[in-house]
Amino acid sequence: MQQYHGLYRKQYSHPKIYAFTPAYTHNHQHMHSYNPLPRLSKSCVPKSTSLFSTSDDNSRDRTTDIKGLITQQIPVDATIYDILHTSIQLLDHQSIPEPDESVLHLVSHALNLDWENGYRQLREVIKLSLPFPKDCDSKVLHSESTLTLARQTLTSNQRATYFSLLERRIQFEPLQYIIGQWDFHYLTGLTIRKPMLCPRPETEELVELVIADIDQLLKKRQLLDANNEDNNRIRILDVGCGTGAIGIAIAHRFPKQVQVVALDLIPEAVDLSNENAEKFLSSLVGRDTSVQDVGSLYQAITCSAEELTNNAEATDTIETNNLQPKYEMNFDIVVSNPPYIPKQDMQDLSTDVIEYESHDALCGGDDGLNVVRDIVNRLPEWTSSSSPTDQQEKGGETRFCWMEVDDSHPRMMEQWLAPGSKESIRLGVEYCSGYKDFCGRDRFVKLKVV
């Protein structure tokens, strides 16, 4: 069993590396000769026990130890170049996942550099060799701005900010929570807040699979270049939206052709999803008469998969808030990255995941399939329509469901929902196919409603 980490689920490449650049291994021979780094005791930075289960006194001692270590290793006159290399060594020595990527982002955040370019600028700094080339050297391969940044020191405010960020990372807090944003698909700077799951790069692959299906459906309807009325929009249901990454990425790609409804049990997740929708989709409003407001393109609501039903008995138990008593269904595609980690595997999660991200968004029950079963049970109702007009217009179209799952699930689901099997006939859902992620692991399943 490979360990789950906060920057990815099962030893995946860091999203920034995956999206932009090859992995970089820092060169220790260019480090300044600061004192050897002492390793904090397990009572200071535990990896498998709770960071918050110790007494207040122990917690204060741990924080004091971390602050003292950082202050000792990074003197006041340290340059950005020195800080980058020393901090990477410090995180690496404390067994923090992806130390180099963490430091690049933290320093960029402390310096308030541009989100898209600051990371790249610091990566160029870290590639420099000592001694720095002279400004007049005709063989200089690095820009003057890179050399200037490398020689820069921190102001007192920047130093306090950076030390605070570094201290949080040493305590295994996920990088995405510390800097408060992350890139996902073509969404640059998606807002991230705990305890919602940090977006993973393999989930971008799930989005791409859904996009390919939408393209096929649009071609079938011959609407790619036509004026797309709201009642012809492809309706997408995102179950367990979290930050809103999946549904917003799809809506951002097809603003004229889709309408996304997203669900989550956690009100904070619904608020964050709608906040991110405003951030990324509001600029599309007014460009075309088909996008009247963000809500016509994307809307997240507080609801579980089990509760999204028009069954009278189930509806009576729903806390409606601002939901309608009866839900509009008729979804063309359902997509979900549900809680899927089997209960027995939760103990293998690394500290940055188990201590910070939502347990309910990670654990899928004994076999990891609890929410998956709820989704499968509801699929026929979600994809049905009470409107004769809709039934006629969409007659003959197969409705699909895409899910990201544990690598043990595709084989189990293939047996459970095999075409023609009793369970498949009873539920009205068939297993279509499974797909591997970019690391070669069974990660995605496609189901169809029959």
Side-chain angles (χ1 to χ4, degrees):
M1 177 75 190
Q2 281 150 337
Q3 195 175 45
Y4 297 97
H5 287 295
L7 299 186
Y8 39 78
R9 258 198 187 138
K10 285 190 176 180
Q11 299 291 352
Y12 289 114
S13 300
H14 187 283
K16 284 286 184 181
I17 298 176
Y18 170 64
F20 300 117
T21 114
Y24 169 72
T25 304
H26 56 274
N27 190 343
H28 289 286
Q29 69 180 355
H30 295 140
M31 296 285 290
H32 275 300
S33 56
Y34 291 139
N35 295 329
L37 295 170
R39 185 178 294 274
L40 295 177
S41 66
K42 289 186 178 180
S43 63
C44 294
V45 189
K47 294 188 66 178
S48 58
T49 59
S50 173
L51 288 169
F52 310 108
S53 61
T54 56
S55 68
D56 290 342
D57 288 341
N58 287 339
S59 178
R60 283 193 292 269
D61 289 344
R62 180 176 66 250
T63 301
T64 301
D65 286 347
I66 294 172
K67 288 181 177 178
L69 177 63
I70 295 172
T71 303
Q72 175 190 359
Q73 296 301 319
I74 305 178
V76 175
D77 60 348
T79 64
I80 296 298
Y81 178 88
D82 297 332
I83 290 169
L84 289 172
H85 282 282
T86 302
S87 299
I88 288 170
Q89 187 187 26
L90 192 156
L91 293 189
D92 185 49
H93 203 68
Q94 304 304 328
S95 302
I96 306 300
E98 301 284 355
D100 48 351
E101 302 303 319
S102 296
V103 169
L104 289 170
H105 280 292
L106 295 179
V107 172
S108 178
H109 194 64
L111 294 175
N112 199 28
L113 298 179
D114 178 74
W115 170 248
E116 294 188 70
N117 297 320
Y119 173 91
R120 293 184 178 89
Q121 288 177 288
L122 290 171
R123 185 168 284 283
E124 290 303 310
V125 169
I126 209 170
K127 291 177 183 178
L128 291 170
S129 300
L130 291 178
F132 293 148
K134 296 180 179 179
D135 296 345
C136 60
D137 191 339
S138 60
K139 296 181 180 180
V140 171
L141 299 178
H142 300 279
S143 68
E144 179 60 31
S145 62
T146 299
L147 294 172
T148 300
L149 181 60
R151 298 185 180 105
Q152 181 180 327
T153 58
L154 298 181
T155 66
S156 58
N157 287 339
Q158 289 172 338
R159 181 178 171 86
T161 298
Y162 178 63
F163 280 20
S164 175
L165 300 176
L166 191 61
E167 179 185 331
R168 291 167 65 183
R169 189 65 184 125
I170 288 176
Q171 296 185 77
F172 286 84
E173 183 173 349
L175 181 61
Q176 294 89 334
Y177 291 157
I178 298 173
I179 61 180
Q181 58 182 344
W182 207 245
D183 293 344
F184 181 85
H185 204 247
Y186 290 100
L187 307 177
T188 302
L190 188 78
T191 300
I192 309 295
R193 285 197 293 268
K194 60 183 177 182
M196 277 62 77
L197 291 189
C198 303
R200 268 69 167 182
E202 68 271 26
T203 308
E204 296 183 30
E205 293 185 280
L206 176 64
V207 170
E208 285 296 322
L209 290 168
V210 176
I211 285 174
D213 252 14
I214 293 173
D215 275 329
Q216 290 299 315
L217 187 52
L218 287 171
K219 289 176 183 178
K220 184 176 180 179
R221 294 185 183 181
Q222 298 181 342
L223 290 175
L224 281 174
D225 299 316
N227 184 26
N228 198 358
E229 300 296 336
D230 280 348
N231 60 358
N232 286 328
R233 285 176 176 268
I234 294 174
R235 283 177 54 77
I236 309 292
L237 177 63
D238 178 10
V239 182
C241 56
T243 62
I246 294 174
I248 295 170
I250 293 170
H252 190 265
R253 173 65 176 80
F254 297 103
K256 297 181 182 180
Q257 293 98 350
V258 305
Q259 181 183 50
V260 179
V261 176
L263 314 177
D264 206 288
L265 270 174
I266 305 174
E268 293 83 0
V270 172
D271 291 342
L272 180 58
S273 292
N274 286 324
E275 178 185 323
N276 275 321
E278 286 288 339
K279 180 177 181 178
F280 291 99
L281 304 179
S282 59
S283 62
L284 304 175
V285 176
R287 289 187 186 177
D288 190 279
T289 56
S290 64
V291 185
Q292 299 174 356
D293 53 51
V294 172
S296 67
L297 183 54
Y298 181 96
Q299 182 183 22
I301 59 176
T302 306
C303 186
S304 70
E306 185 180 13
E307 291 170 337
L308 187 68
T309 177
N310 289 325
N311 178 286
E313 294 181 3
T315 304
D316 288 341
T317 65
I318 297 175
E319 295 181 9
T320 57
N321 288 334
N322 48 356
L323 303 179
Q324 297 298 321
K326 189 173 183 178
Y327 297 101
E328 180 185 358
M329 301 299 187
N330 196 32
F331 291 103
D332 298 288
I333 297 174
V334 177
V335 60
S336 182
N337 179 13
Y340 63 64
I341 299 176
K343 186 177 180 179
Q344 65 181 11
D345 290 345
M346 291 293 290
Q347 63 185 356
D348 297 315
L349 296 173
S350 62
T351 303
D352 50 350
V353 175
I354 197 62
E355 294 293 356
Y356 291 93
E357 298 191 76
S358 169
H359 179 279
D360 291 338
L362 292 164
C363 184
D366 290 343
D367 59 3
L369 289 170
N370 283 3
V371 179
V372 172
R373 291 189 186 92
D374 288 339
I375 292 172
V376 171
N377 285 329
R378 291 283 183 244
L379 276 178
E381 182 183 5
W382 290 345
T383 56
S384 66
S385 174
S386 58
S387 167
T389 302
D390 284 338
Q391 291 175 358
Q392 185 176 5
E393 287 179 351
K394 298 183 178 182
E397 289 182 356
T398 302
R399 311 297 179 90
F400 293 107
C401 173
W402 286 94
M403 282 189 276
E404 179 180 323
V405 294
D406 186 75
D407 54 14
S408 65
H409 290 162
R411 181 172 295 182
M412 295 167 62
M413 295 179 71
E414 184 176 11
Q415 294 174 352
W416 170 35
L417 299 171
S421 66
K422 289 183 179 180
E423 277 295 277
S424 175
I425 294 172
R426 181 182 70 85
L427 294 166
V429 179
E430 283 185 0
Y431 179 90
C432 291
S433 51
Y435 296 82
K436 296 182 183 297
D437 60 26
F438 61 87
C439 288
R441 296 186 178 89
D442 295 323
R443 183 62 58 208
F444 314 107
V445 295
K446 183 179 183 179
L447 311 176
K448 70 176 179 179
V449 180
V450 294

